[in-house]
């Protein structure tokens, strides 16, 4: 299984789509709410040219902005 961190925020339809697509495997990822975590918000802005784009998913140290849920699911399955 890969190391997966998902940066998200409440009300984001793309985040909800990703969470629903992952099903039970979503619990294998670390979820960081950028509205409650200043460090997470700063990181997201840094990797997205100053924008707070979510979901941004870091898989094994590499950020993916609004990735295809299938990519994240594969990473969680290992």
């Amino acid at each position: 299984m890969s190391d997966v961190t998902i940066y998200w925020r409440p009300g984001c339809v793309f985040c909800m789509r990703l969470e629903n697509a992952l099903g039970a495997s979503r619990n294998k990822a670390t979820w960081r709410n950028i509205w409650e975590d200043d460090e997470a918000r700063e990181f997201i802005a840094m990797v997205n040219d100053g924008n707070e784009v979510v979901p941004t998913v870091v898989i094994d140290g590499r950020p993916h902005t609004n990735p295809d849920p299938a990519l994240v699911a594969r990473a969680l399955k290992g």
Side-chain angles (χ1 to χ4, degrees), residues 5-47:
T5 302
I6 300 171
Y7 294 85
W8 71 285
R9 66 169 172 76
C12 169
V13 295
F14 300 106
C15 298
M16 289 184 272
R17 177 187 76 135
L18 176 60
E19 184 178 13
N20 289 334
L22 295 176
S25 66
R26 69 181 174 265
N27 296 323
K28 296 177 183 176
T30 300
W31 291 76
R32 294 183 69 180
N33 180 345
I34 68 164
W35 282 359
E36 294 179 353
D37 184 336
D38 290 336
E39 183 180 294
R41 185 172 47 250
E42 290 171 12
F43 173 77
I44 291 306
M46 181 184 71
V47 300

Side-chain angles (χ1 to χ4, degrees), residues 8 57 67 70 77:
W8 71 285
V57 180
K77 290 181 182 175

